[in-house]
Tab-separated table of all heavy atoms in Angstrom:
chain	number	residue	atom	x	y	z
Q	1	GLY	N	-57.935	-19.669	-68.923
Q	1	GLY	CA	-57.068	-19.973	-70.061
Q	1	GLY	C	-57.624	-19.505	-71.381
Q	1	GLY	O	-56.922	-19.474	-72.397
Q	2	GLY	N	-58.926	-19.117	-71.391
Q	2	GLY	CA	-59.545	-18.675	-72.626
Q	2	GLY	C	-59.027	-17.364	-73.166
Q	2	GLY	O	-59.360	-16.984	-74.288
Q	3	LEU	N	-58.197	-16.650	-72.394
Q	3	LEU	CA	-57.629	-15.409	-72.916
Q	3	LEU	C	-56.881	-15.637	-74.216
Q	3	LEU	O	-56.952	-14.838	-75.139
Q	3	LEU	CB	-56.668	-14.797	-71.884
Q	3	LEU	CG	-57.249	-13.774	-70.926
Q	3	LEU	CD1	-58.135	-14.443	-69.895
Q	3	LEU	CD2	-56.138	-12.987	-70.258
Q	4	LYS	N	-56.142	-16.741	-74.295
Q	4	LYS	CA	-55.333	-16.971	-75.483
Q	4	LYS	C	-55.566	-18.345	-76.119
Q	4	LYS	O	-55.192	-18.561	-77.253
Q	4	LYS	CB	-53.843	-16.819	-75.147
Q	4	LYS	CG	-53.479	-15.461	-74.607
Q	4	LYS	CD	-52.012	-15.348	-74.278
Q	4	LYS	CE	-51.162	-15.200	-75.514
Q	4	LYS	NZ	-51.386	-13.954	-76.225
Q	5	ALA	N	-56.163	-19.264	-75.386
Q	5	ALA	CA	-56.358	-20.614	-75.941
Q	5	ALA	C	-57.685	-21.184	-75.458
Q	5	ALA	O	-57.720	-22.134	-74.701
Q	5	ALA	CB	-55.195	-21.521	-75.537
Q	6	ASN	N	-58.777	-20.573	-75.914
Q	6	ASN	CA	-60.084	-21.085	-75.516
Q	6	ASN	C	-60.306	-22.490	-76.065
Q	6	ASN	O	-60.994	-23.303	-75.454
Q	6	ASN	CB	-61.191	-20.153	-76.017
Q	6	ASN	CG	-62.525	-20.463	-75.385
Q	6	ASN	OD1	-62.643	-20.538	-74.165
Q	6	ASN	ND2	-63.539	-20.675	-76.206
Q	7	LEU	N	-59.713	-22.776	-77.208
Q	7	LEU	CA	-59.692	-24.135	-77.759
Q	7	LEU	C	-58.230	-24.585	-77.738
Q	7	LEU	O	-57.433	-24.141	-78.559
Q	7	LEU	CB	-60.235	-24.158	-79.190
Q	7	LEU	CG	-60.248	-25.520	-79.884
Q	7	LEU	CD1	-61.176	-26.483	-79.168
Q	7	LEU	CD2	-60.674	-25.375	-81.346
Q	8	PRO	N	-57.826	-25.448	-76.813
Q	8	PRO	CA	-56.402	-25.746	-76.587
Q	8	PRO	C	-55.801	-26.822	-77.489
Q	8	PRO	O	-55.155	-27.753	-77.025
Q	8	PRO	CB	-56.387	-26.181	-75.120
Q	8	PRO	CG	-57.696	-26.879	-74.943
Q	8	PRO	CD	-58.679	-26.111	-75.789
Q	9	SER	N	-55.986	-26.677	-78.796
Q	9	SER	CA	-55.478	-27.692	-79.730
Q	9	SER	C	-53.957	-27.735	-79.776
Q	9	SER	O	-53.358	-28.814	-79.800
Q	9	SER	CB	-56.034	-27.433	-81.134
Q	9	SER	OG	-57.433	-27.560	-81.157
Q	10	THR	N	-53.311	-26.568	-79.814
Q	10	THR	CA	-51.852	-26.558	-79.906
Q	10	THR	C	-51.216	-27.131	-78.642
Q	10	THR	O	-50.176	-27.781	-78.706
Q	10	THR	CB	-51.323	-25.131	-80.142
Q	10	THR	OG1	-51.842	-24.261	-79.121
Q	10	THR	CG2	-51.763	-24.613	-81.498
Q	11	ILE	N	-51.854	-26.899	-77.512
Q	11	ILE	CA	-51.345	-27.468	-76.266
Q	11	ILE	C	-51.480	-28.982	-76.291
Q	11	ILE	O	-50.582	-29.709	-75.868
Q	11	ILE	CB	-52.081	-26.871	-75.055
Q	11	ILE	CG1	-51.703	-25.393	-74.904
Q	11	ILE	CG2	-51.752	-27.630	-73.780
Q	11	ILE	CD1	-52.396	-24.686	-73.764
Q	12	ALA	N	-52.600	-29.484	-76.806
Q	12	ALA	CA	-52.796	-30.929	-76.927
Q	12	ALA	C	-51.732	-31.542	-77.834
Q	12	ALA	O	-51.217	-32.632	-77.561
Q	12	ALA	CB	-54.192	-31.229	-77.461
Q	13	GLN	N	-51.379	-30.830	-78.896
Q	13	GLN	CA	-50.304	-31.300	-79.776
Q	13	GLN	C	-49.000	-31.420	-79.003
Q	13	GLN	O	-48.253	-32.382	-79.162
Q	13	GLN	CB	-50.114	-30.332	-80.952
Q	13	GLN	CG	-51.123	-30.473	-82.057
Q	13	GLN	CD	-50.801	-29.552	-83.225
Q	13	GLN	OE1	-50.156	-28.510	-83.052
Q	13	GLN	NE2	-51.226	-29.921	-84.409
Q	14	GLY	N	-48.734	-30.427	-78.163
Q	14	GLY	CA	-47.492	-30.423	-77.397
Q	14	GLY	C	-47.400	-31.529	-76.374
Q	14	GLY	O	-46.322	-31.820	-75.853
Q	15	MET	N	-48.533	-32.168	-76.075
Q	15	MET	CA	-48.540	-33.279	-75.128
Q	15	MET	C	-48.086	-34.585	-75.775
Q	15	MET	O	-48.003	-35.609	-75.112
Q	15	MET	CB	-49.956	-33.488	-74.563
Q	15	MET	CG	-50.496	-32.295	-73.814
Q	15	MET	SD	-49.584	-31.970	-72.308
Q	15	MET	CE	-50.731	-30.923	-71.442
Q	16	GLY	N	-47.809	-34.544	-77.066
Q	16	GLY	CA	-47.321	-35.741	-77.751
Q	16	GLY	C	-48.400	-36.599	-78.362
Q	16	GLY	O	-48.163	-37.777	-78.672
Q	17	ALA	N	-49.586	-36.042	-78.577
Q	17	ALA	CA	-50.678	-36.825	-79.147
Q	17	ALA	C	-50.428	-37.148	-80.614
Q	17	ALA	O	-49.916	-36.321	-81.369
Q	17	ALA	CB	-51.992	-36.063	-79.012
Q	18	ASP	N	-50.786	-38.360	-81.018
Q	18	ASP	CA	-50.744	-38.716	-82.437
Q	18	ASP	C	-51.920	-38.085	-83.164
Q	18	ASP	O	-51.802	-37.666	-84.312
Q	18	ASP	CB	-50.796	-40.240	-82.604
Q	18	ASP	CG	-49.533	-40.924	-82.096
Q	18	ASP	OD1	-48.433	-40.477	-82.476
Q	18	ASP	OD2	-49.647	-41.876	-81.309
Q	19	ILE	N	-53.051	-38.039	-82.489
Q	19	ILE	CA	-54.259	-37.466	-83.071
Q	19	ILE	C	-54.894	-36.531	-82.042
Q	19	ILE	O	-55.109	-36.916	-80.898
Q	19	ILE	CB	-55.281	-38.557	-83.467
Q	19	ILE	CG1	-54.688	-39.484	-84.524
Q	19	ILE	CG2	-56.574	-37.932	-83.977
Q	19	ILE	CD1	-55.577	-40.668	-84.858
Q	20	VAL	N	-55.181	-35.299	-82.463
Q	20	VAL	CA	-55.865	-34.333	-81.600
Q	20	VAL	C	-57.277	-34.138	-82.136
Q	20	VAL	O	-57.475	-33.711	-83.271
Q	20	VAL	CB	-55.140	-32.968	-81.579
Q	20	VAL	CG1	-55.973	-31.944	-80.808
Q	20	VAL	CG2	-53.764	-33.108	-80.951
Q	21	VAL	N	-58.255	-34.473	-81.303
Q	21	VAL	CA	-59.661	-34.221	-81.633
Q	21	VAL	C	-60.106	-33.053	-80.769
Q	21	VAL	O	-59.968	-33.089	-79.543
Q	21	VAL	CB	-60.548	-35.450	-81.356
Q	21	VAL	CG1	-62.007	-35.128	-81.667
Q	21	VAL	CG2	-60.081	-36.640	-82.187
Q	22	ALA	N	-60.608	-32.006	-81.393
Q	22	ALA	CA	-60.998	-30.802	-80.661
Q	22	ALA	C	-62.509	-30.622	-80.694
Q	22	ALA	O	-63.144	-30.800	-81.739
Q	22	ALA	CB	-60.320	-29.580	-81.272
Q	23	ALA	N	-63.078	-30.288	-79.546
Q	23	ALA	CA	-64.503	-29.987	-79.437
Q	23	ALA	C	-64.657	-28.496	-79.162
Q	23	ALA	O	-64.224	-28.006	-78.125
Q	23	ALA	CB	-65.143	-30.804	-78.332
Q	24	LEU	N	-65.253	-27.779	-80.100
Q	24	LEU	CA	-65.434	-26.331	-80.013
Q	24	LEU	C	-66.916	-26.016	-79.825
Q	24	LEU	O	-67.761	-26.549	-80.550
Q	24	LEU	CB	-64.914	-25.661	-81.294
Q	24	LEU	CG	-65.131	-24.162	-81.452
Q	24	LEU	CD1	-64.390	-23.391	-80.374
Q	24	LEU	CD2	-64.682	-23.704	-82.843
Q	25	VAL	N	-67.235	-25.154	-78.865
Q	25	VAL	CA	-68.647	-24.856	-78.592
Q	25	VAL	C	-68.974	-23.370	-78.680
Q	25	VAL	O	-70.059	-22.954	-78.280
Q	25	VAL	CB	-69.057	-25.400	-77.205
Q	25	VAL	CG1	-68.930	-26.900	-77.161
Q	25	VAL	CG2	-68.247	-24.755	-76.081
Q	26	ASP	N	-68.072	-22.567	-79.213
Q	26	ASP	CA	-68.339	-21.137	-79.308
Q	26	ASP	C	-69.322	-20.819	-80.431
Q	26	ASP	O	-69.519	-21.594	-81.360
Q	26	ASP	CB	-67.040	-20.361	-79.527
Q	26	ASP	CG	-66.316	-20.102	-78.219
Q	26	ASP	OD1	-66.978	-20.071	-77.179
Q	26	ASP	OD2	-65.080	-19.941	-78.239
Q	27	THR	N	-69.899	-19.640	-80.355
Q	27	THR	CA	-70.905	-19.196	-81.317
Q	27	THR	C	-70.280	-18.848	-82.656
Q	27	THR	O	-69.234	-18.203	-82.719
Q	27	THR	CB	-71.639	-17.959	-80.768
Q	27	THR	OG1	-72.261	-18.297	-79.526
Q	27	THR	CG2	-72.698	-17.467	-81.739
Q	28	ALA	N	-70.924	-19.289	-83.739
Q	28	ALA	CA	-70.482	-18.922	-85.085
Q	28	ALA	C	-70.939	-17.501	-85.383
Q	28	ALA	O	-72.003	-17.065	-84.930
Q	28	ALA	CB	-71.065	-19.889	-86.114
Q	29	ILE	N	-70.129	-16.773	-86.147
Q	29	ILE	CA	-70.463	-15.393	-86.475
Q	29	ILE	C	-71.389	-15.370	-87.684
Q	29	ILE	O	-71.006	-15.741	-88.787
Q	29	ILE	CB	-69.191	-14.571	-86.770
Q	29	ILE	CG1	-68.241	-14.633	-85.582
Q	29	ILE	CG2	-69.562	-13.125	-87.096
Q	29	ILE	CD1	-68.839	-14.141	-84.285
Q	30	LYS	N	-72.610	-14.932	-87.450
Q	30	LYS	CA	-73.613	-14.833	-88.508
Q	30	LYS	C	-74.277	-13.462	-88.437
Q	30	LYS	O	-74.325	-12.850	-87.368
Q	30	LYS	CB	-74.666	-15.935	-88.330
Q	30	LYS	CG	-74.115	-17.350	-88.472
Q	30	LYS	CD	-75.172	-18.400	-88.165
Q	30	LYS	CE	-75.498	-18.443	-86.688
Q	30	LYS	NZ	-76.334	-19.621	-86.326
Q	31	PRO	N	-74.789	-12.957	-89.576
Q	31	PRO	CA	-75.456	-11.646	-89.548
Q	31	PRO	C	-76.646	-11.645	-88.592
Q	31	PRO	O	-77.385	-12.629	-88.493
Q	31	PRO	CB	-75.926	-11.466	-91.001
Q	31	PRO	CG	-75.013	-12.335	-91.805
Q	31	PRO	CD	-74.730	-13.525	-90.931
Q	32	VAL	N	-76.804	-10.552	-87.869
Q	32	VAL	CA	-77.931	-10.406	-86.945
Q	32	VAL	C	-78.558	-9.036	-87.144
Q	32	VAL	O	-77.962	-8.134	-87.738
Q	32	VAL	CB	-77.479	-10.559	-85.472
Q	32	VAL	CG1	-76.971	-11.963	-85.217
Q	32	VAL	CG2	-76.416	-9.532	-85.119
Q	33	ALA	N	-79.774	-8.877	-86.654
Q	33	ALA	CA	-80.488	-7.609	-86.791
Q	33	ALA	C	-79.876	-6.543	-85.885
Q	33	ALA	O	-79.509	-6.811	-84.741
Q	33	ALA	CB	-81.962	-7.801	-86.437
Q	34	ASN	N	-79.733	-5.336	-86.406
Q	34	ASN	CA	-79.132	-4.249	-85.635
Q	34	ASN	C	-79.896	-3.925	-84.363
Q	34	ASN	O	-79.321	-3.467	-83.373
Q	34	ASN	CB	-79.032	-2.990	-86.498
Q	34	ASN	CG	-77.993	-3.128	-87.593
Q	34	ASN	OD1	-77.094	-3.951	-87.496
Q	34	ASN	ND2	-78.124	-2.314	-88.641
Q	35	ARG	N	-81.202	-4.144	-84.376
Q	35	ARG	CA	-82.011	-3.793	-83.207
Q	35	ARG	C	-81.594	-4.578	-81.961
Q	35	ARG	O	-81.878	-4.151	-80.834
Q	35	ARG	CB	-83.488	-4.028	-83.492
Q	35	ARG	CG	-83.863	-5.477	-83.767
Q	35	ARG	CD	-85.364	-5.637	-83.958
Q	35	ARG	NE	-85.738	-7.004	-84.259
Q	35	ARG	CZ	-85.737	-7.531	-85.469
Q	35	ARG	NH1	-85.377	-6.781	-86.525
Q	35	ARG	NH2	-86.079	-8.791	-85.670
Q	36	GLN	N	-80.908	-5.715	-82.149
Q	36	GLN	CA	-80.470	-6.509	-81.002
Q	36	GLN	C	-79.488	-5.746	-80.122
Q	36	GLN	O	-79.381	-6.007	-78.924
Q	36	GLN	CB	-79.825	-7.817	-81.467
Q	36	GLN	CG	-80.798	-8.811	-82.063
Q	36	GLN	CD	-80.176	-10.179	-82.221
Q	36	GLN	OE1	-79.174	-10.500	-81.597
Q	36	GLN	NE2	-80.778	-11.003	-83.064
Q	37	PHE	N	-78.760	-4.809	-80.718
Q	37	PHE	CA	-77.697	-4.134	-79.988
Q	37	PHE	C	-78.196	-2.942	-79.176
Q	37	PHE	O	-77.410	-2.145	-78.664
Q	37	PHE	CB	-76.587	-3.723	-80.951
Q	37	PHE	CG	-76.055	-4.885	-81.732
Q	37	PHE	CD1	-76.011	-4.858	-83.118
Q	37	PHE	CD2	-75.638	-6.035	-81.085
Q	37	PHE	CE1	-75.543	-5.944	-83.835
Q	37	PHE	CE2	-75.171	-7.123	-81.793
Q	37	PHE	CZ	-75.125	-7.083	-83.168
Q	38	LYS	N	-79.514	-2.818	-79.038
Q	38	LYS	CA	-80.074	-1.861	-78.091
Q	38	LYS	C	-80.010	-2.430	-76.686
Q	38	LYS	O	-80.217	-1.712	-75.710
Q	38	LYS	CB	-81.511	-1.525	-78.480
Q	38	LYS	CG	-81.616	-0.767	-79.805
Q	38	LYS	CD	-83.053	-0.412	-80.133
Q	38	LYS	CE	-83.135	0.347	-81.466
Q	38	LYS	NZ	-84.533	0.720	-81.792
Q	39	SER	N	-79.726	-3.724	-76.608
Q	39	SER	CA	-79.544	-4.402	-75.328
Q	39	SER	C	-78.058	-4.485	-75.012
Q	39	SER	O	-77.255	-4.924	-75.840
Q	39	SER	CB	-80.140	-5.818	-75.402
Q	39	SER	OG	-79.647	-6.629	-74.368
Q	40	LYS	N	-77.687	-4.037	-73.798
Q	40	LYS	CA	-76.277	-4.092	-73.402
Q	40	LYS	C	-75.779	-5.532	-73.369
Q	40	LYS	O	-74.647	-5.813	-73.752
Q	40	LYS	CB	-76.092	-3.442	-72.028
Q	40	LYS	CG	-76.327	-1.943	-72.018
Q	40	LYS	CD	-76.118	-1.367	-70.624
Q	40	LYS	CE	-76.364	0.129	-70.604
Q	40	LYS	NZ	-76.189	0.697	-69.241
Q	41	LYS	N	-76.619	-6.435	-72.904
Q	41	LYS	CA	-76.236	-7.838	-72.823
Q	41	LYS	C	-75.920	-8.388	-74.205
Q	41	LYS	O	-74.890	-9.041	-74.417
Q	41	LYS	CB	-77.355	-8.648	-72.176
Q	41	LYS	CG	-77.099	-10.141	-72.139
Q	41	LYS	CD	-78.267	-10.884	-71.527
Q	41	LYS	CE	-78.059	-12.394	-71.593
Q	41	LYS	NZ	-79.222	-13.133	-71.031
Q	42	ASN	N	-76.792	-8.115	-75.181
Q	42	ASN	CA	-76.554	-8.599	-76.540
Q	42	ASN	C	-75.301	-7.991	-77.141
Q	42	ASN	O	-74.560	-8.655	-77.873
Q	42	ASN	CB	-77.753	-8.282	-77.431
Q	42	ASN	CG	-78.974	-9.110	-77.085
Q	42	ASN	OD1	-78.867	-10.129	-76.401
Q	42	ASN	ND2	-80.143	-8.668	-77.544
Q	43	LEU	N	-75.053	-6.724	-76.832
Q	43	LEU	CA	-73.863	-6.055	-77.348
Q	43	LEU	C	-72.600	-6.711	-76.808
Q	43	LEU	O	-71.657	-6.990	-77.558
Q	43	LEU	CB	-73.893	-4.574	-76.976
Q	43	LEU	CG	-72.664	-3.746	-77.385
Q	43	LEU	CD1	-72.490	-3.774	-78.905
Q	43	LEU	CD2	-72.798	-2.319	-76.885
């Protein structure tokens, strides 16, 4: 389901919830050193 809704907040809303609490665990985008991208895994 992560193709389009990795964080399913809108779906939770559609379930009729009065309050939707979402827990997100994805990585925040922060500047990183270019040398990291010499690794295919890091890329």
